[in-house]
Amino acid sequence: DVKVTQSSRYLVKRTGEKVFLECVQDMDHENMFWYRQDPGLGLRLIYFSYDVKMKEKGDIPEGYSVSREKKERFSLILESASTNQTSMYLCASSYRGSGANVLTFGAGSRLTVL
Amino acid sequence: DAKTTQPPSMDCAEGRAANLPCNHSTISGNEYVYWYRQIHSQGPQYIIHGLKNNETNEMASLIITEDRKSSTLILPHATLRDTAVYYCIVRPYNTDKLIFGTGTRLQVFP
């Protein structure tokens, strides 16, 4: 079964800490995505990568960076975590450029910043 | 980018058809309509997509109006397990990004 695996289901960090959220997919997908989900706001796209070492900003990239050194792995980095980054973070992947752009999501990482 | 408008919530009796509407009046001719759903505490799950023609798969049917300005997702025999948030998304033709809105919360009751 195809899988998108997010390394941590729950994290608790302190304000100012550097936080890494890891995502790995085993489907040889070119595209990978990071979304955050907050009550009443739905899913918002943070960053998108369409190839190794390539990235594109989504709607809310401020306070985040990403790394895509290998095709299967896409990392979301919070350089200095703040309380307003407390959220559910969802990683997804898909094939590039196909008519049926079907995203496969991971289970999510719930981050709490104290 | 084409925006979508969905009602925030809907109810449906178990065993009945659930019809979830979506407006996308600014859609362009080569933009696809996608539907995903998210069951509580899980990542979103793909349901179906279409361009112009109506589509059906094992999960649902998608009806797109002739002018493409709106669509309806149909779950023919809703079950309690279909309780979820349903997202209607229009994908811009020149990108693989999917921009989610806030969706429709469907509550299926016994």
Side-chain angles (χ1 to χ4, degrees), chain A residues 19-49:
Chain A
V19 181
F20 292 87
L21 299 178
E22 305 284 343
C23 176
V24 177
Q25 50 94 5
D26 63 1
M27 296 164 281
D28 202 34
H29 283 167
E30 294 88 0
N31 296 329
M32 296 190 74
F33 307 80
W34 275 106
Y35 292 86
R36 67 176 279 178
Q37 184 169 31
D38 302 287
L41 297 177
L43 278 79
R44 292 179 291 167
L45 182 64
I46 305 172
Y47 266 100
F48 159 49
S49 170

Side-chain angles (χ1 to χ4, degrees), chain B residues 24 27-29 31 51-52 64-70:
Chain B
H24 32 78
I27 194 169
S28 299
E31 292 180 324
L51 182 62
K52 295 180 182 178
I64 302 174
T65 58
E66 193 168 340
D67 63 7
R68 302 188 72 240
K69 293 182 184 299
S70 65

Side-chain angles (χ1 to χ4, degrees), chain B residues 40-99:
Chain B
H40 184 61
S41 298
Q42 298 182 19
Q45 174 194 25
Y46 166 81
I47 302 173
I48 200 167
H49 77 282
L51 182 62
K52 295 180 182 178
N53 300 321
N54 298 337
E55 303 286 345
T56 296
N57 63 20
E58 65 278 3
M59 290 181 69
S61 294
L62 174 60
I63 308 298
I64 302 174
T65 58
E66 193 168 340
D67 63 7
R68 302 188 72 240
K69 293 182 184 299
S70 65
S71 61
T72 301
L73 179 75
I74 301 172
L75 308 178
H77 305 287
T79 72
L80 298 178
R81 287 175 295 188
D82 292 322
T83 293
V85 177
Y86 288 77
Y87 298 97
C88 170
I89 304 157
V90 171
R91 175 167 76 98
Y93 71 97
N94 59 348
T95 178
D96 286 342
K97 293 190 295 186
L98 287 185
I99 305 299

Side-chain angles (χ1 to χ4, degrees), chain A residues 83-98:
Chain A
T83 54
N84 63 12
Q85 293 177 309
T86 291
S87 187
M88 170 68 85
Y89 290 89
L90 289 156
C91 175
S93 68
S94 73
Y95 288 114
R96 183 178 178 184
S98 64

Side-chain angles (χ1 to χ4, degrees), chain A:
Chain A
D1 197 14
V2 295
K3 284 255 177 17
V4 176
T5 303
Q6 296 184 228
S7 56
S8 302
R9 192 80 169 94
Y10 299 95
L11 303 92
V12 179
K13 299 292 182 180
R14 297 208 173 271
T15 301
E17 279 193 76
K18 191 169 185 176
V19 181
F20 292 87
L21 299 178
E22 305 284 343
C23 176
V24 177
Q25 50 94 5
D26 63 1
M27 296 164 281
D28 202 34
H29 283 167
E30 294 88 0
N31 296 329
M32 296 190 74
F33 307 80
W34 275 106
Y35 292 86
R36 67 176 279 178
Q37 184 169 31
D38 302 287
L41 297 177
L43 278 79
R44 292 179 291 167
L45 182 64
I46 305 172
Y47 266 100
F48 159 49
S49 170
Y50 52 90
D51 203 349
V52 174
K53 296 191 187 296
M54 305 304 289
K55 62 185 179 183
E56 188 174 318
K57 291 180 180 179
D59 295 328
I60 51 163
E62 297 79 17
Y64 303 94
S65 62
V66 290
S67 173
R68 184 103 180 264
E69 295 296 319
K70 294 184 178 181
K71 189 176 186 180
E72 67 271 18
R73 187 179 297 269
F74 192 35
S75 301
L76 181 70
I77 302 156
L78 288 66
E79 293 289 342
S80 177
S82 63
T83 54
N84 63 12
Q85 293 177 309
T86 291
S87 187
M88 170 68 85
Y89 290 89
L90 289 156
C91 175
S93 68
S94 73
Y95 288 114
R96 183 178 178 184
S98 64
N101 186 26
V102 176
L103 268 63
T104 301
F105 281 84
S109 297
R110 184 167 293 282
L111 172 67
T112 300
V113 182
L114 302 176

